[in-house]
Amino acid sequence: MPRYHPSSIEPKWQEWWDAHGTFTTPRLPAGRKTYILDMFPYPSGDGLHVGHPEGYTATDIVARFERMRGTTVMHPMGFDAFGLPAEEHAIRTGTPPRESTERNIATFTRQLKMLGFSYDWGRVLATTDPEYVRWTQWIFLVLFDTWFDHATQKGRPIAELPIPAEVTAKGAGAIASYRDDHRLAYQSEAPVNWCPALGTVLANEEVIGGVSERGGHPVIRLPLRQWMLRITAYAERLETELAGLDWPASIKKLQCDWIGRSTGAEVDFFIPPASGADEAFAAWMSRRSESGYPSKPGADVLRIYTTRPDTLYGVTAMVIAPEHPLLDALTTTEQRPSIEAYREAASRKSDLDRTDLAREKTGVFTGSSVVHPLTGRPVPVWVADYVLASYGTGAIMAVPAHDERDYEFARSFGLDVVTVIEPMEGQASGNGLFAGEGRAIDSGPYTGLSTRDFIAKVGADLEATGLGRPATNYKLRDWLFSRQRFWGEPFPILHELDEAGHPTGSIRALEPHELPVSLPVLTDFKPGDTPDPPLSRSPADWLFVDRDGKRYRRETNTMPQWAGSCWYYLRFLDPHNTERFLDPAIEKAWMPVDLYIGGAEHAVLHLLYSRFWHKVLYDRGHVSHPEPFGKLVNQGMILGEMEFTGYRSPAGGWVSAEKHGDGDVASKVPHDQVEKHGEHFVLRDAPTTRVESRAYKMSKSRGNVVNPDQVVREFGADSLRLYEMFMGPLEATKPWSTSGVSGVRGFLDRCWRLVVDERADEIALAHQVSDTQPSDDDLRELHRTIDKVTRDIEGLSFNTAIARMMEFVNYCTPLDRRPRAILEPFVTILAPFAPHLAEELWQVLGKPAPVSIATWPAVDERWLKDDSVEIPVQVQGKLRGRVVVPADADADAMKAAAVADPKIAELLAGKTIVKVVAVPGRLVNFVIKG
RNA sequence: GCCGGAGUGGCGGAAUGGCAGACGCGGCGGACUCAAAAUCCGUUGCCCGCAAGGGCGUGUGGGUUCAAGUCCCACCUCCGGCACCA
């Protein structure tokens, strides 16, 4: 009768833990601490996906394991609840986003609790909670109040920003705008993708080929006032401080590439006047050698950035971006119409079009030339959209002979290709293009220098003559931080209005005590005819504010979804604090996060943004450690069940998979109609017809989504947890298999029967359970299991830990007597993996609950050693026999035992032994001759 | 194109340079049962062989080593990410 029924024991123990506060974390750790964090989910309307419990189970096992080892564990959960889906749902249905979000959070909470995770639910938060929004806005105020001091590489209060005398001279307004220009949070006109037909701004990835992804409506790029965060100021620290983190090398590299540091030189090319060019150039040169290189280029120079200043003598054109500020000035009258047309066309293209589709390079000659600073020769200036306005100086020197892109451009427009670098010996130089490093030729005084020496020398020379300087650039851009959306955090910023109600351009931040700025009540979430954010249609009593006799309008953009997830790990530590965002003593005690597990899709953005905010908070003294996440692990994706796909021709007959064409129709083939034939899978009834076998990403459209609720109903939460851990290595991508779940369920059933008498009417101990002393074999088996499971949890190798526990159960099942002395420790180590079952078995064994915080059993090293071992004997590297020797036998003893083996003796008879390799405890190998 | 990651039985996977295939699924056989399910026991890489035994095996081709799934070189396939950053 009392079979294993997860559906009754799981809710029972969840309620017990809840009622007893088993996993409540104290304010401050007592002794050793560990902070184990999951990437919190976006509560989508679809509910939990089987991908979520993968990482969550892994962290839960570690959290429970650490608790049992006496560590104080911080293991919280919350919700990243702002976001687009809720807003689009609101537009479609009129349901306020807060309502649908709260409903979704309730579903997620139910599902997470159903899986028995040991979160301290007293700390749960959602980024949409007004009290959370309050502190997100407060951190924005910190960013707004901070400037970056490049000399010390540190963020400092804006009040400490040195104001140049000439700015001070212009009065308070100039000082204020000088400050605004240096804040980490600043406003800027940035182009956005505006789709008039849809009445909304689109993200870059929502625009395909110049039209909207949905509906195919035209999209234009429109400059719009945006909030930006000066993450570029921290580029260097974000890169160098990666080194100390225990993160996967691949993630570090991804971040490093994203930051994209490069070194080279900036060089100014003189823009000559219409007449007297030579004299003007000479005068400019001499001015520059006295004044040095100015930090901002004047209107008389075109400033470029290059990573290869050693190719300066190979420049045959200058190319500037269509948005370059000097484009107008450089355009001659006769070229103006075509330049205008080009610029117009470029402005309509999204970034994606400009990069992805424009394989063939386009461009237009401006009609003007600039003067080469080293040769004094004129260089024609072109405009082309392969040069990006947002990188470097928005202008380049084109060296067709030594840069692939410039080479393509030169070929399209017939520009000269001048070779100035020769490959070092042994390197091949192909078709006039050589982008590698080498030795300079035809380069004036630099001829003969290697690339490295050339760059060093020319950098120094340019600096000495004021024509250029060595420079560093980053691919990383400042973070576009505003969205024209409703469902996000409002900015704590007011725009001053004049008498007529127009913005004066002056802004002021709210005081911390005025926070939070809550979202107004809107009934209409639909986008309008202009890119104005929905909040611009807020009721006047929200929108307009009077302060100190002045009238202000609130900022109506909202923050992006990333904002809330940038600091949630900090708020978890002190979630109910109404005085501060986080008590410093608490922060100091718990930070940094010791283990952070989540999907690799956040490898760059979330993790980079969080690190950036954290560093600002660190610089401003609000946190004590420069990095938030010490150790990071990415769980792999869980794919749908393996599928076989066959192809049918339009006529209906099967087509072998490797020959199928566009007209053929793919169809799913049941597993039992397929068999393996050599390298490939084929149809059982038509063995020459190959079928594809593959697991696909779970998606609604493919219909291969596995629902956790259903798995729990059918197999139980412990089975789901255990299966997800048993599938394979945590980091690997792996396909779902329902029979795999039932296999793991079978293991839990066997654990149950190990302890419980399944045939009794009431819950009772199995009659084999005994109080007798365990045998040596029993203890060996137990301690080896404890040892392996302990080490595997430490190494996050849950699949092999589970395999070892299965071996233990396989060992115990046939025993006539199962000593409690080995069953009880086993139940203890099972607890982190299958906590509900373990609690139940613990109770059946008559132990006081909860096993969840029982002491982790110690390994007795004595039982890890064998008295004797069976070792393989090889001849010529091939396995020829096995001998049993004492575990501590030395090489000679092993060799003697091997030679004594009749089979080995036979093989060695008449041969000369050239060498014997004997590794104690491992093997013996005879190398023979003759 | 560039950068990662991975290729091991029918399937998921295991293996500090030292017995390849632990553990699980699936298959096969047996016990229990009137029967079935459930459970328990055994077996299961491929080929030759009645057997004893032998041969072949970790994507392909080379190499290092007494010994390679593991290290080195070249290549193939799949998956993921990035994509004109001068």
Side-chain angles (χ1 to χ4, degrees), chain A residues 377-565:
Chain A
R377 285 205 286 263
V379 186
V381 182
W382 289 64
V383 60
D385 67 4
Y386 80 91
V387 174
L388 307 176
S390 49
Y391 182 78
T393 59
I396 62 151
M397 58 179 210
V399 185
H402 304 294
D403 182 281
E404 197 175 335
R405 297 148 302 183
D406 297 344
Y407 184 74
E408 284 174 22
F409 186 68
R411 287 228 304 201
S412 297
F413 296 98
L415 302 178
D416 290 343
V417 178
V418 176
T419 300
V420 291
I421 305 289
E422 261 183 354
M424 296 292 188
E425 275 173 271
Q427 292 176 321
S429 165
N431 66 354
L433 169 68
F434 172 64
E437 301 195 350
R439 190 176 302 283
I441 57 170
D442 297 335
S443 295
Y446 302 95
T447 301
L449 290 181
S450 71
T451 293
R452 186 174 306 185
D453 293 345
F454 193 140
I455 290 174
K457 186 166 192 313
V458 78
D461 292 350
L462 287 168
E463 198 152 31
T465 50
L467 302 173
R469 67 169 173 200
T472 300
N473 257 301
Y474 297 91
K475 280 202 240 179
L476 184 67
R477 306 295 154 82
D478 274 345
W479 176 9
L480 198 158
F481 191 67
S482 46
R483 298 290 183 271
Q484 296 70 49
R485 293 287 180 176
F486 171 76
W487 193 227
E489 299 89 344
F491 284 79
I493 292 288
L494 302 176
H495 295 271
E496 189 183 288
L497 301 178
D498 62 18
E499 302 284 316
H502 298 302
T504 62
S506 165
I507 54 173
R508 83 183 260 174
L510 291 175
E511 297 298 319
H513 67 82
E514 296 176 290
L515 303 180
V517 181
S518 297
L519 285 165
V521 177
L522 286 192
T523 49
D524 176 18
F525 307 98
K526 285 193 184 62
D529 300 333
T530 61
D532 285 340
L535 290 189
S536 63
R537 302 194 301 274
S538 298
D541 63 344
W542 185 89
L543 199 53
F544 298 101
V545 180
D546 291 317
R547 288 282 189 288
D548 306 326
K550 283 186 184 144
R551 193 159 170 75
Y552 293 90
R553 184 177 192 264
R554 284 192 199 277
E555 172 63 56
T556 54
N557 283 301
T558 51
M559 299 187 201
Q561 195 181 353
W562 305 109
S565 59

Side-chain angles (χ1 to χ4, degrees), chain A residues 5 16 67 106 249 387 457 505 553 665 684 798 800 824 899:
Chain A
H5 278 304
W16 196 96
R67 264 185 221 109
V387 174
K457 186 166 192 313
R553 184 177 192 264
V665 184
R684 173 161 292 173
F798 306 110
T800 49
E824 287 170 10
V899 175

Side-chain angles (χ1 to χ4, degrees), chain A residues 115-333:
Chain A
L115 294 171
F117 296 131
S118 62
Y119 297 122
D120 177 357
W121 284 103
R123 295 172 183 269
V124 69
L125 58 82
T127 53
T128 48
D129 296 339
E131 269 303 288
Y132 188 87
V133 167
R134 171 180 176 188
W135 297 107
T136 305
Q137 290 169 339
W138 177 83
I139 294 173
F140 178 84
L141 292 181
V142 173
L143 290 156
F144 185 75
D145 184 62
T146 304
W147 66 286
F148 192 76
D149 182 352
H150 282 272
T152 58
Q153 282 287 306
K154 205 170 175 282
R156 296 171 58 188
I158 198 74
E160 296 175 9
L161 176 70
I163 310 288
E166 65 267 26
V167 173
T168 312
K170 287 185 204 150
I175 293 174
S177 96
Y178 185 82
R179 283 193 173 133
D180 287 347
D181 284 346
H182 287 79
R183 297 176 188 275
L184 293 182
Y186 65 98
Q187 298 180 85
S188 151
E189 291 277 316
V192 295
N193 301 304
W194 167 247
C195 177
L198 293 176
T200 184
V201 165
L202 299 173
N204 274 340
E205 50 273 22
E206 294 173 309
V207 184
I208 313 276
V211 296
S212 64
E213 186 183 19
R214 281 186 306 142
H217 305 293
V219 172
I220 56 169
R221 285 164 68 77
L222 203 70
L224 206 62
R225 183 186 58 80
Q226 299 283 334
W227 280 95
M228 308 288 290
L229 296 186
R230 207 179 299 280
I231 189 171
T232 51
Y234 282 80
E236 190 177 328
R237 273 169 63 189
L238 287 169
E239 189 194 343
T240 56
E241 289 168 30
L242 274 172
L245 301 178
D246 183 5
W247 287 19
S250 59
I251 299 291
K252 287 191 187 184
K253 185 160 187 310
L254 230 51
Q255 289 222 347
C256 204
D257 289 350
W258 187 266
I259 294 165
R261 178 189 158 93
S262 79
T263 55
E266 284 179 4
V267 186
D268 282 348
F269 285 64
F270 182 63
I271 302 172
S275 60
D278 290 350
E279 297 76 30
F281 176 62
W284 175 76
M285 290 278 281
S286 74
R287 271 205 310 282
R288 274 299 177 87
S289 67
E290 272 170 38
S291 69
Y293 181 79
S295 62
K296 281 186 180 167
D300 58 347
V301 297
L302 181 62
R303 175 165 294 183
I304 59 97
Y305 170 72
T306 178
T307 54
R308 291 294 299 272
D310 61 315
T311 62
L312 260 166
Y313 286 83
V315 174
T316 57
M318 311 302 291
V319 186
I320 65 175
E323 298 84 2
H324 196 282
L326 291 181
L327 178 57
D328 266 335
L330 287 165
T331 303
T332 56
T333 318

Side-chain angles (χ1 to χ4, degrees), chain A residues 3 24 37 67 91 96 101 109 200 210 351 367 390 418 484 555 578 614 632 739 748 783 856 884:
Chain A
R3 299 260 292 268
T24 301
L37 182 67
R67 264 185 221 109
I91 293 169
T101 300
T109 305
T200 184
D351 280 347
S390 49
V418 176
Q484 296 70 49
E555 172 63 56
T578 53
H614 199 86
L632 174 76
S739 61
L748 294 181
H783 285 278
W856 191 258
V884 175

